């Protein structure tokens, strides 16, 4: 029973969450709130499926557990052994096929970060400075107006001398505030995760839709971190100056993508209906439910006896 509940809950999330979250985004909900909804839905669905598998394959893992002195028991109807073997085989084959398709995305991300860091270390920086509240700033001499976020440890922002010539100090500060928002929410990691899942499981529409929305929501959320009309105006001017053909967005966070749309949003704070508290609370409740429901099912009496 518990395994069936978890599997049905995961299926419900995967089929309904894209519709709900797209509607919330178009209705003007906070990008960060919608972003949290996508991430919670993905986490809740994957957690539910991961917890359901042991329920349907009890004999395959309880026998080794008993061999080491642990006597687990799950309170569900016995599943025939051939079905358990079929479930376990299907899961393993699905994971193997998913890693074969999605693994290159992770490897490309790591390789791109390593290439960028190696290139940065091979140059002679004009300045390598750490400013409180911002990622490490590395200034290099270059004729291209490049400003690239590197989510390394510690995080770095590569700024070329040409970019500094174009940007006023307050505009640079607005861009660094935007990039700090990416780092706080681990946007590069989450974008890579969504792309990996979309490649790994192309027949599950949820993951492809999550990947399609991930980058745009990350940029809107980071733009929202730049507060105040003056700071937002500074960020808008920086987008105008750095969104030309010579600007490298970097492979991690496309900070200068969709310049025209974002310039419009930053120039005139779109007057939208304020979301009613009930609507906001409802979306937050749905977001929390994606993670809370699997936890409650597992914590419920008689799920696992040890």
């Amino acid at each position: 029973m518990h395994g069936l509940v978890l599997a049905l809950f995961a299926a419900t999330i995967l089929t309904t969450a894209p519709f709900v979250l797209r509607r919330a985004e178009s209705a003007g909900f906070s990008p960060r709130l919608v972003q949290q909804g996508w991430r919670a839905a993905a986490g809740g669905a994957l957690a539910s499926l991961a917890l359901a598998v042991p329920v349907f394959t009890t004999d395959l893992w309880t026998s080794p557990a008993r061999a080491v002195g642990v006597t687990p028991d799950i309170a569900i109807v016995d599943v025939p052994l051939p079905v358990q073997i079929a479930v376990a085989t299907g899961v393993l084959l699905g994971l193997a096929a998913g890693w074969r398709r999605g693994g290159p995305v992770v490897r490309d991300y790591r390789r791109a970060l390593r290439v960028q860091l190696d290139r940065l270390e091979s140059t002679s920086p004009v300045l390598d400075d750490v400013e409180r509240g911002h990622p490490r700033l590395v200034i290099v001499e270059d004729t291209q107006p490049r400003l690239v976020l590197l989510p390394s440890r510690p995080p770095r922002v590569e700024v070329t001398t040409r970019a500094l010539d174009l940007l006023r100090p307050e505009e640079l500060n607005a861009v660094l505030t935007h990039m700090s928002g990416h780092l706080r929410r681990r946007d590069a990691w989450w974008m890579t995760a969504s792309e990996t899942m979309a490649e790994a499981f192309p027949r599950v529409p949820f993951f492809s839709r999550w990947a399609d929305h991930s980058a745009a929501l990350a940029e809107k959320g980071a733009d929202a971190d730049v507060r105040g009309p003056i700071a937002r105006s500074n960020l808008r001017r920086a987008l105008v100056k750095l969104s030309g053909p010579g600007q490298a967005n970097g492979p991690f966070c496309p900070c200068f993508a969709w310049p025209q749309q974002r310039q419009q949003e930053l120039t005139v704070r779109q007057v939208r209906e304020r979301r009613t508290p009930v609507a906001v609370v409802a979306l937050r409740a749905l977001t929390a439910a994606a993670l809370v429901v699997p936890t409650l099912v597992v914590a419920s009496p008689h799920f696992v006896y040890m």
Side-chain angles (χ1 to χ4, degrees):
M1 180 62 184
H2 294 84
L4 185 60
V5 169
L6 289 168
L8 289 176
F9 182 70
T12 301
I13 291 178
L14 294 176
T15 53
T16 61
F19 172 77
V20 172
L21 293 170
R22 286 202 309 269
R23 289 290 300 271
E25 183 179 359
S26 61
F29 282 85
S30 163
R32 282 174 290 189
L33 184 57
V34 179
Q35 188 182 53
Q36 291 169 5
W38 280 105
R39 295 174 182 181
L46 293 175
S48 297
L49 292 173
L51 291 168
V53 170
V55 178
F56 292 117
T57 58
T58 52
D59 291 334
L60 301 183
W61 64 272
T62 55
S63 297
R66 290 190 182 96
V68 296
V70 180
T71 57
D73 190 18
I74 295 186
I76 61 171
V77 178
D78 290 337
V79 178
L81 185 59
V83 176
Q84 296 185 41
I85 295 174
V87 170
T89 303
V91 170
L92 292 176
L93 290 176
L95 291 176
W99 177 249
R100 183 179 178 182
R101 290 189 294 260
V105 177
V106 178
R107 291 193 289 271
D108 289 345
Y109 170 84
R110 292 176 176 173
R111 187 182 302 114
L113 181 58
R114 185 168 60 250
V115 168
Q116 293 275 0
L117 291 174
D118 290 344
R119 180 183 57 78
L120 196 60
E121 291 175 0
S122 66
T123 62
S124 299
V126 178
L127 177 67
D128 190 343
D129 191 22
V130 178
E131 183 179 348
R132 187 178 183 86
H134 285 314
R136 182 174 172 182
L137 186 65
V138 182
I139 301 175
V140 297
E141 182 129 13
D142 200 318
T143 57
Q144 295 295 331
R146 190 169 58 253
L147 205 155
V148 179
L149 173 64
L150 302 176
S152 56
R153 295 183 181 179
R156 296 175 176 87
V157 173
E158 177 193 5
V159 186
T160 64
T161 50
R162 177 56 180 161
L164 290 179
D165 290 339
L166 293 175
L167 295 178
R168 295 159 57 185
E170 56 271 25
E171 294 168 354
L172 176 61
N173 187 67
V175 174
L176 293 178
T177 300
H178 170 99
M179 290 182 168
S180 296
H182 281 308
L183 293 172
R184 279 196 307 274
R185 286 184 293 276
R186 300 178 180 271
D187 285 337
W189 187 92
W190 281 105
M191 280 190 279
T192 303
S194 65
E195 292 171 9
T196 300
M197 296 303 295
E199 291 292 332
F201 304 106
R203 295 186 179 182
V204 182
F206 172 90
F207 295 119
S208 60
R209 291 168 185 166
W210 179 27
D212 290 341
H213 288 258
S214 183
L217 286 171
E219 292 310 314
K220 291 178 181 179
D223 285 347
D225 288 335
V226 182
R227 295 183 175 87
I230 296 177
R232 292 172 67 83
S233 178
N234 289 329
L235 180 59
R236 178 188 61 80
R237 286 196 295 269
L239 282 172
V240 173
K241 294 177 180 179
L242 294 176
S243 59
Q247 167 60 34
N249 271 309
F252 312 108
C253 293
C255 296
F256 302 99
W258 310 288
Q260 294 182 347
Q261 177 186 351
R262 290 169 59 199
Q263 287 169 32
Q264 181 180 3
E265 292 176 352
L266 290 165
T267 304
V268 180
R269 299 193 68 172
Q270 294 178 344
V271 181
R272 293 177 174 173
E273 268 182 53
R274 289 182 60 85
R275 300 296 101 199
T276 64
V278 173
V280 174
V281 169
L283 184 56
R284 289 190 182 277
L286 290 174
T287 300
L291 299 175
V292 171
V293 169
T295 305
L296 292 178
V297 172
V298 174
S300 64
H302 311 305
F303 180 73
V304 176
Y305 294 100
M306 301 296 292

